């Protein structure tokens, strides 16, 4: 049988004696059960860390014989993922596990900077639970979990003027806000012709037409359709003044 066990692990003992035995006495220090008097005692679980001498005495009418095997039960390792965290969507947080030593593995690599590090950076866009697993040198396992709560800041707005004159100040018009799951931002000239459209809030209007031609100072109309990650949404409309 294995001679290196993790605390709480169970193993099966089998009598390998030769000759016609008529009696058996097993003792399992630190185990459950602690003893047995059948030929094959079956499964024994060890919850007490330390080194234990397992003994079998086999007997028949001519006498007895004793054999001993030593096993080592290692203490259960421990790992702590830390307290739950709260962030605003778009932020990130460092998660650091502490434990009794070994290798660390985190679940959900899609939103973590590293899944096999003791410390990792989480950047979820929704409330997410993470599981960290510690495996020590004996192969024993401990786990813990942490939840990163994500708060959605639902804001929306569009500036009413900008000046794309190349001075590096207010040259590009972006929508203001946070917590979007989808947007559709359209800008029209006074004739109702579309001059700009984006579905990405990180893309702004630089004051050119769809063909890339710089437009003259004027007032333009916009329509912004948006949905928040939380589920609600709406439509915002108004005017934008292009200044040079």
């Amino acid at each position: 049988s294995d001679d290196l066990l993790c605390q709480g692990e169970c193993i099966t003992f089998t009598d390998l004696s030769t000759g016609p035995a008529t009696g058996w006495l097993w003792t399992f220090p630190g185990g459950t059960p602690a003893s047995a008097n059948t030929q094959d005692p079956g499964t024994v679980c060890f919850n007490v860390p330390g080194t234990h001498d397992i003994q079998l005495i086999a007997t028949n009418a001519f006498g007895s014989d004793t054999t001993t095997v030593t096993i080592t039960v290692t203490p259960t390792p421990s790992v702590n993922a830390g307290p739950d965290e709260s962030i605003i969507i778009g932020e990130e947080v460092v998660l650091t596990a502490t434990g009794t030593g070994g290798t660390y593995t985190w679940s959900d690599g899609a939103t973590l900077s590293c899944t096999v590090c003791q410390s990792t950076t989480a950047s979820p866009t929704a409330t997410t639970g993470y599981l960290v697993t510690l495996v020590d040198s004996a192969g024993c396992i401990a786990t813990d979990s942490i939840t990163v709560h994500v708060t959605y800041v639902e804001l929306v707005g569009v500036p009413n003027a900008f000046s794309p004159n190349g001075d590096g100040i207010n040259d590009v018009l972006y929508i203001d806000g946070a917590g979007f799951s989808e947007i559709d931002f359209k800008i029209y000239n006074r004739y109702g012709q579309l001059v700009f459209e984006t579905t990405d809030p990180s893309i702004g209007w630089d004051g050119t037409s769809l063909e890339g031609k710089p437009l003259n100072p004027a007032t333009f109309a916009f329509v912004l359709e948006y949905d928040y990650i939380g589920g609600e949404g709406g439509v915002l409309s108004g005017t934008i003044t292009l200044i040079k």
Side-chain angles (χ1 to χ4, degrees), residues 53-137:
D53 292 328
I54 310 302
Q55 186 179 79
L56 167 62
I57 302 174
T59 61
N60 62 18
F62 301 98
S64 65
D65 192 22
T66 301
T67 186
T68 302
V69 62
T70 300
I71 66 169
T72 299
V73 180
T74 62
T76 300
S78 64
V79 65
N80 189 335
D84 289 350
E85 300 281 356
S86 295
I87 62 172
I88 296 173
I89 189 170
E91 295 181 341
E92 56 186 30
V93 61
V94 176
L95 308 180
T96 301
T98 56
T100 49
T103 59
Y104 297 83
T105 303
W106 293 85
S107 65
D108 192 17
T111 57
L112 294 175
S113 62
C114 179
T115 58
V116 290
C117 303
Q118 186 172 356
S119 293
T120 184
T121 300
S123 51
T125 57
T127 296
T128 302
Y130 299 96
L131 179 73
V132 61
T133 300
L134 170 69
V135 181
D136 69 11
S137 58

